[in-house]
Each structure stands twice: as C-alpha cells, then as structure tokens.
Short mmCIF file of all heavy atoms in Angstrom, two decimals:
data_model
loop_
_atom_site.label_atom_id
_atom_site.label_comp_id
_atom_site.label_asym_id
_atom_site.label_seq_id
_atom_site.Cartn_x
_atom_site.Cartn_y
_atom_site.Cartn_z
N TRP S 181 -2.40 -11.89 16.82
CA TRP S 181 -1.78 -13.28 16.71
C TRP S 181 -2.05 -13.95 15.38
O TRP S 181 -1.16 -14.59 14.77
CB TRP S 181 -2.01 -14.28 17.84
CG TRP S 181 -1.52 -13.80 19.14
CD1 TRP S 181 -0.40 -12.93 19.39
CD2 TRP S 181 -2.09 -14.14 20.34
NE1 TRP S 181 -0.29 -12.93 20.80
CE2 TRP S 181 -1.29 -13.55 21.33
CE3 TRP S 181 -3.22 -14.77 20.81
CZ2 TRP S 181 -1.55 -13.71 22.73
CZ3 TRP S 181 -3.40 -15.08 22.15
CH2 TRP S 181 -2.59 -14.54 23.18
N MET S 182 -3.37 -13.88 14.96
CA MET S 182 -3.85 -14.57 13.82
C MET S 182 -3.36 -13.88 12.44
O MET S 182 -3.12 -14.60 11.55
CB MET S 182 -5.30 -14.62 13.82
CG MET S 182 -5.83 -15.68 14.90
SD MET S 182 -7.67 -15.80 14.70
CE MET S 182 -7.75 -16.85 13.20
N PHE S 183 -3.13 -12.68 12.46
CA PHE S 183 -2.77 -11.87 11.30
C PHE S 183 -1.42 -11.32 11.16
O PHE S 183 -1.05 -10.96 10.05
CB PHE S 183 -3.81 -10.77 10.99
CG PHE S 183 -5.27 -11.33 10.68
CD1 PHE S 183 -6.04 -11.54 11.75
CD2 PHE S 183 -5.56 -11.81 9.46
CE1 PHE S 183 -7.47 -12.05 11.53
CE2 PHE S 183 -6.85 -12.45 9.34
CZ PHE S 183 -7.75 -12.44 10.24
N ARG S 184 -0.83 -11.01 12.20
CA ARG S 184 0.57 -10.44 12.28
C ARG S 184 1.54 -11.10 13.22
O ARG S 184 2.76 -11.01 12.85
CB ARG S 184 0.48 -8.97 12.77
CG ARG S 184 -0.39 -8.01 11.90
CD ARG S 184 0.08 -7.74 10.55
NE ARG S 184 1.31 -7.11 10.63
CZ ARG S 184 2.25 -7.00 9.69
NH1 ARG S 184 2.12 -7.57 8.60
NH2 ARG S 184 3.35 -6.32 9.95
N GLY S 185 1.14 -11.87 14.27
CA GLY S 185 2.09 -12.33 15.15
C GLY S 185 2.92 -13.51 14.60
O GLY S 185 2.53 -14.01 13.56
N PHE S 186 3.73 -14.03 15.35
CA PHE S 186 4.54 -15.22 15.03
C PHE S 186 5.25 -15.06 13.65
O PHE S 186 5.49 -16.08 12.98
CB PHE S 186 3.72 -16.55 15.03
CG PHE S 186 2.91 -16.70 16.36
CD1 PHE S 186 1.53 -16.45 16.27
CD2 PHE S 186 3.57 -17.08 17.49
CE1 PHE S 186 0.83 -16.63 17.51
CE2 PHE S 186 2.81 -17.23 18.67
CZ PHE S 186 1.42 -17.03 18.64
N GLY S 187 5.70 -13.79 13.35
CA GLY S 187 6.41 -13.47 12.13
C GLY S 187 5.69 -13.68 10.89
O GLY S 187 6.19 -13.99 9.77
N ARG S 188 4.31 -13.54 11.03
CA ARG S 188 3.56 -13.81 9.80
C ARG S 188 3.75 -12.74 8.74
O ARG S 188 3.85 -11.60 9.13
CB ARG S 188 2.01 -13.78 10.19
CG ARG S 188 1.60 -14.95 10.82
CD ARG S 188 0.10 -14.90 11.07
NE ARG S 188 -0.48 -15.81 12.12
CZ ARG S 188 -0.79 -17.03 11.83
NH1 ARG S 188 -0.81 -17.48 10.66
NH2 ARG S 188 -1.13 -17.88 12.82
N ALA S 189 3.80 -13.10 7.51
CA ALA S 189 4.04 -12.29 6.30
C ALA S 189 3.17 -12.85 5.29
O ALA S 189 2.97 -13.96 5.21
CB ALA S 189 5.34 -12.08 5.99
N ALA S 190 2.76 -12.02 4.38
CA ALA S 190 1.89 -12.43 3.31
C ALA S 190 2.69 -13.41 2.40
O ALA S 190 3.87 -13.27 2.15
CB ALA S 190 1.34 -11.17 2.43
N HIS S 191 2.02 -14.51 2.00
CA HIS S 191 2.73 -15.30 1.09
C HIS S 191 1.91 -15.50 -0.18
O HIS S 191 0.86 -14.89 -0.32
CB HIS S 191 2.71 -16.74 1.75
CG HIS S 191 1.43 -17.27 2.31
ND1 HIS S 191 0.42 -17.76 1.64
CD2 HIS S 191 1.01 -17.26 3.58
CE1 HIS S 191 -0.58 -18.05 2.34
NE2 HIS S 191 -0.39 -17.73 3.65
N ILE S 192 2.50 -16.08 -1.29
CA ILE S 192 1.89 -16.22 -2.48
C ILE S 192 0.99 -17.34 -2.62
O ILE S 192 1.17 -18.33 -2.05
CB ILE S 192 3.08 -16.36 -3.50
CG1 ILE S 192 4.14 -15.19 -3.48
CG2 ILE S 192 2.48 -16.55 -4.96
CD1 ILE S 192 5.16 -15.31 -4.37
N GLY S 193 -0.18 -17.04 -3.23
CA GLY S 193 -1.16 -18.03 -3.40
C GLY S 193 -2.10 -18.30 -2.10
O GLY S 193 -1.64 -18.00 -0.90
N LEU S 194 -3.23 -18.79 -2.28
CA LEU S 194 -4.14 -19.04 -1.27
C LEU S 194 -3.89 -20.40 -0.71
O LEU S 194 -3.64 -21.41 -1.39
CB LEU S 194 -5.57 -19.08 -1.77
CG LEU S 194 -6.09 -17.80 -2.44
CD1 LEU S 194 -7.44 -17.92 -2.84
CD2 LEU S 194 -6.01 -16.61 -1.41
N GLN S 195 -3.83 -20.44 0.64
CA GLN S 195 -3.45 -21.73 1.24
C GLN S 195 -4.63 -22.20 2.12
O GLN S 195 -4.91 -21.18 3.13
CB GLN S 195 -2.13 -21.76 2.01
CG GLN S 195 -1.02 -21.47 1.07
CD GLN S 195 0.38 -21.36 1.97
OE1 GLN S 195 0.44 -21.65 3.18
NE2 GLN S 195 1.28 -20.99 1.22
N PHE S 196 -5.22 -23.32 1.90
CA PHE S 196 -6.24 -23.82 2.91
C PHE S 196 -6.48 -25.25 2.88
O PHE S 196 -5.93 -25.96 2.13
CB PHE S 196 -7.67 -23.12 2.41
CG PHE S 196 -7.85 -23.26 0.98
CD1 PHE S 196 -8.69 -24.45 0.57
CD2 PHE S 196 -7.55 -22.34 -0.01
CE1 PHE S 196 -8.85 -24.64 -0.86
CE2 PHE S 196 -7.80 -22.76 -1.45
CZ PHE S 196 -8.47 -23.72 -1.71
N ASN S 197 -7.07 -25.67 3.87
CA ASN S 197 -7.41 -27.19 4.04
C ASN S 197 -8.88 -27.22 4.43
O ASN S 197 -9.36 -26.62 5.40
CB ASN S 197 -6.55 -27.81 5.25
CG ASN S 197 -7.25 -29.09 5.54
OD1 ASN S 197 -7.61 -29.93 4.67
ND2 ASN S 197 -7.38 -29.41 6.80
N LEU S 198 -9.77 -27.88 3.50
CA LEU S 198 -11.09 -28.13 3.84
C LEU S 198 -11.48 -29.49 4.09
O LEU S 198 -12.73 -29.85 4.31
CB LEU S 198 -11.79 -27.66 2.44
CG LEU S 198 -11.68 -26.18 2.16
CD1 LEU S 198 -12.51 -25.89 0.78
CD2 LEU S 198 -12.16 -25.27 3.15
N VAL S 199 -10.41 -30.32 4.31
CA VAL S 199 -10.65 -31.75 4.67
C VAL S 199 -10.55 -31.83 6.22
O VAL S 199 -9.67 -31.73 6.81
CB VAL S 199 -9.63 -32.57 3.96
CG1 VAL S 199 -9.97 -34.02 4.35
CG2 VAL S 199 -9.68 -32.36 2.54
N PRO S 200 -11.78 -32.10 6.86
CA PRO S 200 -11.80 -32.35 8.24
C PRO S 200 -10.91 -33.41 8.71
O PRO S 200 -10.73 -34.48 8.19
CB PRO S 200 -13.30 -32.74 8.62
CG PRO S 200 -14.04 -32.19 7.45
CD PRO S 200 -13.09 -32.27 6.19
N LEU S 201 -10.16 -33.01 9.84
CA LEU S 201 -9.21 -33.93 10.66
C LEU S 201 -7.87 -34.18 9.81
O LEU S 201 -6.93 -34.86 10.24
CB LEU S 201 -9.67 -35.18 10.94
CG LEU S 201 -11.10 -35.01 11.82
CD1 LEU S 201 -11.81 -36.39 12.02
CD2 LEU S 201 -10.89 -34.33 13.04
N ASN S 202 -7.74 -33.66 8.66
CA ASN S 202 -6.54 -33.91 7.74
C ASN S 202 -5.30 -33.31 8.55
O ASN S 202 -4.25 -34.15 8.70
CB ASN S 202 -6.77 -33.17 6.44
CG ASN S 202 -5.56 -33.45 5.53
OD1 ASN S 202 -5.16 -34.64 5.40
ND2 ASN S 202 -4.93 -32.45 4.97
N THR S 203 -5.33 -32.05 8.94
CA THR S 203 -4.21 -31.50 9.66
C THR S 203 -3.99 -32.14 11.11
O THR S 203 -2.88 -32.48 11.49
CB THR S 203 -4.38 -29.97 9.87
OG1 THR S 203 -4.57 -29.41 8.57
CG2 THR S 203 -3.26 -29.28 10.41
N ILE S 204 -5.03 -32.40 11.78
CA ILE S 204 -5.03 -33.00 13.15
C ILE S 204 -4.37 -34.34 12.99
O ILE S 204 -3.41 -34.70 13.75
CB ILE S 204 -6.38 -33.03 13.73
CG1 ILE S 204 -6.89 -31.67 13.99
CG2 ILE S 204 -6.40 -33.95 15.04
CD1 ILE S 204 -8.40 -31.73 14.43
N PHE S 205 -4.85 -35.14 12.16
CA PHE S 205 -4.24 -36.48 12.02
C PHE S 205 -2.81 -36.50 11.43
O PHE S 205 -1.99 -37.30 11.80
CB PHE S 205 -5.11 -37.50 11.02
CG PHE S 205 -6.36 -37.93 11.66
CD1 PHE S 205 -7.49 -38.15 10.87
CD2 PHE S 205 -6.48 -37.98 13.08
CE1 PHE S 205 -8.64 -38.75 11.40
CE2 PHE S 205 -7.65 -38.51 13.63
CZ PHE S 205 -8.79 -38.88 12.85
N GLY S 206 -2.58 -35.57 10.66
CA GLY S 206 -1.16 -35.34 10.01
C GLY S 206 -0.12 -35.11 11.35
O GLY S 206 0.91 -35.73 11.31
N TYR S 207 -0.67 -34.19 12.20
CA TYR S 207 0.26 -34.01 13.35
C TYR S 207 0.39 -35.32 14.22
O TYR S 207 1.46 -35.73 14.67
CB TYR S 207 -0.30 -32.86 14.34
CG TYR S 207 -0.03 -31.56 13.79
CD1 TYR S 207 -1.01 -30.65 13.34
CD2 TYR S 207 1.34 -31.17 13.73
CE1 TYR S 207 -0.63 -29.36 12.99
CE2 TYR S 207 1.78 -29.83 13.24
CZ TYR S 207 0.74 -28.96 12.97
OH TYR S 207 0.99 -27.73 12.52
N ILE S 208 -0.70 -36.01 14.42
CA ILE S 208 -0.70 -37.07 15.30
C ILE S 208 0.12 -38.23 14.73
O ILE S 208 0.91 -38.97 15.34
CB ILE S 208 -2.25 -37.52 15.61
CG1 ILE S 208 -2.87 -36.51 16.54
CG2 ILE S 208 -2.14 -38.91 16.31
CD1 ILE S 208 -4.32 -36.59 16.68
N PHE S 209 -0.20 -38.60 13.46
CA PHE S 209 0.42 -39.78 12.80
C PHE S 209 1.87 -39.59 12.54
O PHE S 209 2.56 -40.53 12.19
CB PHE S 209 -0.39 -40.30 11.52
CG PHE S 209 -1.77 -40.75 11.94
CD1 PHE S 209 -2.77 -40.44 11.22
CD2 PHE S 209 -1.92 -41.69 12.96
CE1 PHE S 209 -4.07 -40.91 11.47
CE2 PHE S 209 -3.18 -42.17 13.34
CZ PHE S 209 -4.28 -41.78 12.56
#
C-alpha cells in the first residue's frame, strides 16, 4: 500500500513535510 498501492507511481522531485501538525491542521482547517 505504501509503495505501490492506490495507483502510486514515481514522481519527480523529493516531496516531504517536516513541520509537525502541518498536514493534519491543513485537513482540519
């Protein structure tokens, strides 16, 4: 699921979030 499922395919560039609660609050707000 984490590496192949849900139609995952390699994308260009590294994507990451190192700011705690950034994504969680983004969904909630």
Side-chain angles (χ1 to χ4, degrees):
W181 292 332
M182 289 183 75
F183 293 94
R184 299 291 297 155
F186 307 108
R188 289 185 194 267
H191 48 77
I192 297 172
L194 301 178
Q195 297 181 8
F196 54 90
N197 167 45
L198 299 176
V199 180
L201 306 177
N202 187 50
T203 304
I204 294 170
F205 286 154
Y207 278 119
I208 293 170
F209 293 137

